[in-house]
Amino acid sequence: MQRRDFLKNSASTAAAFAAAAAVRTSGVAASAAISSATTPVVSGAQVVMPAGPLAAPMVKKSLMWGMVKEDLSVMDKFKLLKDLGYDGVELDSPDKLDMKEVLAARDKTGLLIPGTVNSMHWKLPLSDPDPKKREECVKSIEKALWDTKEYGGNTVLVVPGVVNATVTYAEAYERSQAEIRKLLPIAEKTGVKIAIENVWNQFLLSPLEAAKYVDDFKHPMVGWYFDVGNVLRYSWPTSWIEALNKRILKLHLKEFSFKKQNDLGLWKGFDVEFMEGDNNWPEVNKALQKIGYSGWASAEVAGGDRKRLLTIREKMDEVFKA
């Protein structure tokens, strides 16, 4: 369903790449030609996998805009990230960045913008009892969809709801789905998908339930943004990958340590470098390869200056090759 359906080629693409083994809609606009039988190529908004051995699951490196802590202009931040070896950067939307400035930086540096993260889904969750707050969040996601289209990206990350003392699980489920359905016509117009993510919001705690939540929409413009580190609190990432399968649009990467969680507190579990926590990255890569994922992976960890951002990129290299 959903994202699996997204992965279907257009008629013209299918004719041009009949020999391709798989096509994933997880890249961003960039022209390229197939250079070998095993090399993934970004073509349009797709990562095209020529016939041959299975592709590496993670082929494009990105990170979050807020991780860049140096006091630089938008252009210089884009240059910095490109120089450090990143392929893209994810922005928040709505935000205060100047669209023309961002597009100029993207075009000059070649650093892509694979997608955005909605900036209002925590302050004004789609599960809120107040319909006016839900409406405001819907409007913010609508803007994010249009912004992402302008940026050349193809996903907007949305946390669908929050369960708490005043919002039951059933209410979060029903309200969030009703509000997301209002956005489907905009997603269709923009060609930008709504990528659902759970972020310790006490909602969609099971991989099977997460898959059902996506499937309920019966629509190709809704999928899942899979955060490898977030789910360790609930179960192993490989179980989520197996259950979500083709619904997975993109990946967020972070590490998690059960020892730090137990010794120092729950949130301290994230305070560990890639390859030094409890994520079994070789198994994650195998599971992703099994479902045919080959596309973007974005770091979502503590950022910093040039040195720190270089360390993150080098650690991502290890994860990609694990």
Side-chain angles (χ1 to χ4, degrees):
M1 313 206 111
Q2 278 60 337
R3 307 185 341 70
R4 345 22 189 318
D5 297 333
F6 317 156
L7 306 179
K8 294 180 180 178
N9 299 339
S10 66
S12 60
T13 303
F17 295 95
V23 177
R24 283 200 58 84
T25 51
S26 51
V28 184
S31 296
I34 296 174
S35 57
S36 75
T38 59
T39 302
V41 178
V42 177
S43 177
Q46 301 173 325
V47 174
V48 179
M49 296 310 305
L54 289 175
M58 306 182 201
V59 296
K60 306 293 286 184
K61 298 181 187 70
S62 182
L63 77 170
M64 315 308 291
W65 180 250
M67 291 168 57
V68 184
K69 301 301 184 182
E70 295 208 0
D71 186 16
L72 300 170
S73 67
V74 169
M75 179 67 76
D76 286 339
K77 285 185 178 181
F78 268 67
K79 288 179 179 177
L80 170 64
L81 294 176
K82 189 67 175 179
D83 289 345
L84 293 178
Y86 289 97
D87 302 296
V89 60
E90 287 195 321
L91 307 180
D92 291 331
S93 180
D95 61 18
K96 296 180 180 180
L97 295 177
D98 181 83
M99 175 69 74
K100 291 182 179 179
E101 193 176 359
V102 171
L103 295 180
R106 180 201 65 184
D107 294 344
K108 184 168 183 178
T109 64
L111 188 78
L112 302 175
I113 305 171
T116 65
V117 177
N118 178 254
S119 59
M120 303 299 288
H121 52 211
W122 283 113
K123 181 181 179 181
L124 301 166
L126 295 174
S127 57
D128 196 281
D130 186 345
K132 291 184 178 179
K133 290 183 179 180
R134 299 200 302 270
E135 180 182 7
E136 191 172 346
C137 187
V138 167
K139 289 180 179 178
S140 76
I141 298 172
E142 180 175 341
K143 184 179 189 314
L145 289 165
W146 286 110
D147 284 350
T148 305
K149 174 180 171 59
E150 290 296 313
Y151 290 140
N154 59 13
T155 55
V156 173
L157 186 155
V158 174
V159 174
V162 179
V163 175
N164 53 36
T166 62
V167 177
T168 70
Y169 212 102
E171 288 171 338
Y173 204 104
E174 294 166 6
R175 289 172 186 163
S176 62
Q177 287 205 334
E179 300 301 334
I180 289 172
R181 286 192 175 94
K182 297 175 184 178
L183 290 158
L184 295 180
I186 306 301
E188 291 175 349
K189 290 179 182 178
T190 60
V192 176
K193 300 176 181 66
I194 298 168
I196 305 299
E197 186 185 49
N198 63 350
V199 190
W200 289 19
N201 46 334
Q202 307 307 316
F203 185 48
L204 304 179
L205 305 180
S206 151
L208 296 179
E209 180 188 22
K212 180 184 182 301
Y213 185 88
V214 172
D215 291 348
D216 283 348
F217 291 99
K218 296 181 173 63
H219 200 286
M221 301 308 290
V222 182
W224 195 267
Y225 204 124
F226 180 57
D227 189 307
V228 181
N230 281 347
V231 301
L232 267 175
R233 179 184 174 190
Y234 308 117
S235 59
W236 300 107
T238 51
S239 296
W240 284 78
I241 294 167
E242 179 183 86
L244 290 169
N245 207 289
K246 301 297 185 181
R247 302 168 185 84
I248 297 176
L249 293 169
K250 290 194 177 85
L251 304 173
H252 266 167
L253 304 185
K254 59 170 67 81
E255 190 61 88
F256 192 82
S257 166
F258 292 127
K259 186 178 189 308
K260 286 201 169 185
Q261 170 195 275
N262 295 334
D263 293 348
L264 303 174
L266 181 61
W267 288 94
K268 289 295 183 179
F270 289 121
D271 189 17
V272 60
E273 293 283 11
F274 287 123
M275 309 301 290
E276 297 175 10
D278 288 299
N279 266 323
N280 187 331
W281 294 107
E283 289 303 311
V284 168
N285 278 326
K286 287 180 184 177
L288 290 168
Q289 193 173 51
K290 185 176 180 180
I291 66 169
Y293 183 88
S294 184
W296 285 95
S298 296
E300 190 182 28
V301 298
D305 60 10
R306 175 185 292 267
K307 182 178 179 181
R308 169 61 181 159
L309 297 175
L310 176 59
T311 296
I312 294 170
R313 199 272 295 159
E314 291 172 341
K315 289 291 184 179
M316 290 180 76
D317 288 341
E318 295 182 44
V319 169
F320 276 37
K321 298 174 183 176

